[in-house]
Amino acid sequence: MSLTFQGYRRPNGEVGIRNHLLIIPTVICSNQVCNRIQQLVPNTVAIPHQHGCSQIGADKDRTFDVLAGTGKNPNVGGVVIVSLGCEVVDPTQLAEEIRKTGKLVEVFDIQSVGGSVKAIQHGVQLAQEMRTKLDAMTKEAIPFSELKIGVKCGGSDATSGLASNPALGVAADALIAEGGTIVIGETTEIIGAEHVLADRCRTTETADDLYHIVNRFEKEVERMGADMRGGNPSPGNIAGGLSTIEEKSLGCISKCGTAPIEGVIEYAKSIPQGGLYFMDSPGNDIECVSGMAAGGAHLVCFTTGRGTPTGSAVIPVIKITGNRICAERMADNMDVDVSGMLEGSVSLQEAGNHIWDEIRAVSDGQLTKAEVLGHAEFSINRIGPSL
């Protein structure tokens, strides 16, 4: 008998483990209106950002894709889109893309309704009406085969590769055994170990795709006249005992378990169902997690040795540490402590089971520390310069 959790079935058949009402600004100019709507209507979340104008080509498309993907995330039950009225991101097109999921979507622009105050009033009315409809929805039993989880690490130290990442790998294998999906990202964090992941790719074409995204990133760094070693490992990584990119990468890749890699997907693109996938994404914590959320991940498991408080706007983020000092010093933010692995009191399998139990509880509605504290970070990975 397959494991189940209680989730919200969406009109397009997808399922959410949360039922967010999302307020989306299409451009930085509408951030404040969105923030005020969120403050005035309980149980809503806004995603302010600095983009939406003075962008062209692939850069403009990326902003659109991330905003649309976040609105389409199955943890979102309804969306209010707030436009200024003259930006490059088309609010009507954005609304139409999100409506393909069948969920509730409203859109308006600040210029047409008569300025910030009137826009806030209008948005509050729309959000209150939509929130009432969402609150009437009921949950149903959902098999874990429909769950998609991102695996991420940040603020890493020596304990990450030795304890928390391998333990997360055990939990990742458990989800895939149930028919679920794991997505690993951070292209910058596999450099020096990309051949290890390439050997795990299901096909030669997938391995070629993996090498391609690594080479593409390295060429971009060269074009900038920079050196990866100026920022990776970071000063915090080095202080925590990591000496080289290769050492960091070998620890990083252990968090996705042992399953074969089924495919490589671009940043913020839809994550397929079932198995392990790699998403081309930056090492930056918020940009990476935001890309996974836009791709349809339900939650992210995030390992850290140094400690980090950040969460995500529409998906729960489970914080895991293998560092006893971090677990005690940042108890406000850590959800799972597997430091017993390094102390000899907990086996790798037991630590992985502990993470798996936390995944099951959070999928069933238990709030993470980041959710309780109101961490709803959001950021879009940018490609080109502002015009």
Side-chain angles (χ1 to χ4, degrees), residues 3-6 17-18 144 147-151 167-176 181-182 255 298-302 316-320 335-336 351-366 368:
L3 296 175
T4 63
F5 61 91
Q6 292 293 308
I17 64 173
R18 299 293 186 265
F144 269 84
L147 196 66
K148 298 179 180 180
I149 295 180
V151 291
L168 179 53
V170 171
D173 284 344
L175 179 64
I176 289 176
T181 308
I182 294 291
K255 64 180 179 284
H298 293 97
L299 66 89
V300 164
C301 290
F302 191 121
V317 177
I318 298 172
K319 291 292 174 51
I320 305 158
D335 296 289
V336 182
N353 291 343
H354 187 15
I355 296 171
W356 177 236
D357 289 342
E358 189 74 9
I359 288 171
R360 293 176 62 182
V362 170
S363 300
D364 216 25
Q366 175 182 295
T368 63

Side-chain angles (χ1 to χ4, degrees), residues 40-263:
L40 293 168
V41 182
N43 299 319
T44 60
V45 60
I47 49 172
H49 58 90
Q50 69 186 70
H51 306 307
C53 201
S54 302
Q55 294 178 282
I56 58 173
D59 198 45
K60 181 188 73 172
D61 293 342
R62 171 157 293 182
T63 295
F64 181 92
D65 289 345
V66 175
L67 295 178
T70 306
K72 292 163 73 174
N73 185 285
N75 287 353
V76 174
V79 177
V80 176
I81 298 171
V82 183
S83 160
L84 174 60
C86 57
E87 61 270 32
V88 299
V89 171
D90 187 330
T92 302
Q93 183 183 1
L94 182 63
E96 290 173 352
E97 183 64 27
I98 297 172
R99 285 195 184 108
K100 291 178 181 178
T101 63
K103 64 184 63 175
L104 303 169
V105 181
E106 296 286 353
V107 58
F108 68 93
D109 69 81
I110 297 168
Q111 292 169 349
S112 293
V113 298
S116 293
V117 174
K118 293 182 179 65
I120 292 167
Q121 292 170 338
H122 184 61
V124 165
Q125 181 180 350
L126 292 175
Q128 288 174 334
E129 293 172 355
M130 193 176 293
R131 187 67 259 179
T132 298
K133 294 177 182 177
L134 295 182
D135 290 341
M137 296 180 66
T138 57
K139 291 183 175 182
E140 62 181 79
I142 308 294
F144 269 84
S145 59
E146 296 194 42
L147 196 66
K148 298 179 180 180
I149 295 180
V151 291
K152 173 79 176 74
C153 56
S156 301
D157 68 358
T159 70
S160 298
L162 293 172
S164 54
N165 283 346
L168 179 53
V170 171
D173 284 344
L175 179 64
I176 289 176
E178 289 290 324
T181 308
I182 294 291
V183 59
I184 180 174
E186 302 179 277
T187 306
T188 57
E189 306 286 294
I190 68 168
I191 292 175
E194 62 267 36
H195 61 290
V196 179
L197 287 182
D199 287 343
R200 289 173 52 185
C201 289
R202 177 80 70 180
T203 66
T204 301
E205 290 76 17
T206 298
D208 289 342
D209 290 342
L210 189 69
Y211 282 124
H212 169 70
I213 63 172
V214 171
N215 292 334
R216 182 173 63 187
F217 176 80
E218 290 183 323
K219 287 179 180 178
E220 181 61 17
V221 173
E222 291 174 5
R223 185 190 67 80
M224 294 170 61
D227 185 345
M228 269 288 295
R229 290 153 187 81
N232 197 8
S234 70
N237 296 152
I238 295 169
L242 295 174
S243 60
T244 65
I245 294 175
E246 292 80 6
E247 182 182 32
K248 184 179 180 182
S249 296
L250 286 168
C252 173
I253 64 175
S254 65
K255 64 180 179 284
C256 67
T258 60
I261 297 175
E262 305 293 343

